[in-house]
């Protein structure tokens, strides 16, 4: 197995430190290696860096690279004014676009840590730290940061996605009456764990079934939980 393939697998499994170690052993500027460096940057939330890496002529004929470059560019534009807060003790990285969301950070840190630990115990999966979360202001930003087409987000009522090694979730302030963001966050964390465990090979029906099952198991039952 080539080192480049090993790097790609490590990134997909969200083991960014292992990917970094492998990349340090590869003294090459081949398109395949540069692409994986850019993909790692996207997983780390360093979209501007990834866009710069891919903005070179050697990638113009690569559909995969062109698509990743477009995602990196839209992500960089959407997050340019954002800021990061971290709970280093529990290993949570949170990027926000709006200062008004700053007050939500302690609650997001708490739910994310509890859900990660509970789901991890159920699935037997250890999610590398930090767990990365992007809290975005609207569906336009959700689309820009995740790469999910805006029309798909609008027509399916998407509130969050697990892509590129992190959870990208809409701020509760974006909807008039809010939404159950805590369980939504747990649902998407489950998707990250399943991606890591299966190297993103688990069928969608299995992922959705397990994520639906796990989205409430991190907490005590509530009065209006679906008994089924």
């Amino acid at each position: 197995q080539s080192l480049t393939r090993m790097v790609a697998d490590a990134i997909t499994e969200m083991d960014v430190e292992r990917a970094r170690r492998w990349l340090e052993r590869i003294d090459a500027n081949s398109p395949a290696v540069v692409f994986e460096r850019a993909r790692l940057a996207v997983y780390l939330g360093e979209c501007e860096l990834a866009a710069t890496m891919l903005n070179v002529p050697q990638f113009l004929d690569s559909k995969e690279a062109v698509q990743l470059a477009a995602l990196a560019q839209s992500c960089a534009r959407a997050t340019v004014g954002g800021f990061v807060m971290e709970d280093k003790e529990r290993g949570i990285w949170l990027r926000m676009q709006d200062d008004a969301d700053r007050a939500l950070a302690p609650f997001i840190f708490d739910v994310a840590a509890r859900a990660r630990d509970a789901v991890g115990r159920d699935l037997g999966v250890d999610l590398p730290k930090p767990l990365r979360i992007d809290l975005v202001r609207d569906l336009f930003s959700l689309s820009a940061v995740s790469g999910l087409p805006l029309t798909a987000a609008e027509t399916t009522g998407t509130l969050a996605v697990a892509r590129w090694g992190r959870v990208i979730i809409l701020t509760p302030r974006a909807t008039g009456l809010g939404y159950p963001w805590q369980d939504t966050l747990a649902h998407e964390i489950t998707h990250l764990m399943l991606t890591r465990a299966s190297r993103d090979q688990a069928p969608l029906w299995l992922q959705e079934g397990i994520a639906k099952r796990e989205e409430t198991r991190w907490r005590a039952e509530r009065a209006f939980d679906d008994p089924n």
Side-chain angles (χ1 to χ4, degrees):
Q1 188 179 25
S2 70
L3 283 178
T4 304
R5 181 70 260 170
M6 294 170 72
V7 169
D9 289 344
I11 295 171
T12 300
E13 294 168 17
M14 288 164 282
D15 193 338
V16 298
E17 293 305 320
R18 178 158 57 98
R20 280 172 167 159
R21 289 196 299 272
W22 286 120
L23 283 169
E24 289 173 358
R25 296 180 57 180
I26 304 175
D27 185 18
N29 289 312
S30 68
V33 173
V34 175
F35 177 82
E36 293 304 333
R37 292 185 192 279
R39 197 162 73 95
L40 176 60
V42 170
Y43 270 65
L44 294 171
E46 299 170 355
C47 299
E48 187 173 358
L49 175 59
T52 300
M53 289 180 179
L54 296 170
N55 187 28
V56 291
Q58 64 181 326
F59 290 119
L60 292 178
D61 295 328
S62 169
K63 181 179 179 180
E64 189 176 21
V66 169
Q67 290 176 338
L68 185 62
L71 176 280
Q73 290 163 6
S74 66
C75 172
R77 288 193 296 268
T79 59
V80 67
F83 60 96
V84 173
M85 296 181 68
E86 290 191 72
D87 184 330
K88 294 187 176 180
E89 182 177 351
R90 289 185 287 189
I92 313 289
W93 177 100
L94 174 64
R95 180 165 58 188
M96 292 168 279
Q97 292 177 302
D98 293 335
D99 193 65
D101 283 327
R102 190 183 296 269
L104 295 172
F107 302 100
I108 293 173
F109 289 145
D110 181 61
V111 173
R114 290 167 61 192
R116 178 192 59 201
D117 294 347
V119 176
R121 285 193 298 270
D122 280 356
L123 301 184
V125 178
D126 181 22
L127 198 62
K129 297 179 181 179
L131 166 61
R132 290 181 170 83
I133 302 168
D134 267 310
L135 186 69
V136 297
R137 64 168 65 98
D138 50 37
L139 289 180
F140 294 98
S141 298
L142 180 69
S143 172
V145 175
S146 70
L148 179 72
L150 179 60
T151 53
E154 290 175 332
T155 57
T156 61
T158 300
L159 299 168
V161 293
R163 282 189 172 186
W164 311 111
R166 59 192 192 279
V167 174
I168 303 154
I169 185 168
L170 191 67
T171 173
R173 297 190 306 109
T175 59
L177 298 176
Y179 71 93
W181 65 268
Q182 297 172 312
D183 291 350
T184 300
L185 180 56
H187 182 104
E188 299 305 329
I189 289 172
T190 305
H191 277 299
L192 288 184
M193 291 192 171
L194 292 169
T195 295
R196 172 171 166 78
S198 69
R199 201 173 287 168
D200 204 20
Q201 296 299 308
L204 182 59
W205 62 265
L206 179 61
Q207 286 219 27
E208 286 299 335
I210 295 175
K212 185 64 179 176
R213 170 69 174 168
E214 290 292 332
E215 66 185 24
T216 59
R217 285 176 59 81
W218 64 276
R219 59 168 175 79
E221 290 186 7
R222 296 174 181 170
F224 295 101
D225 284 348
D226 184 351
N228 298 319

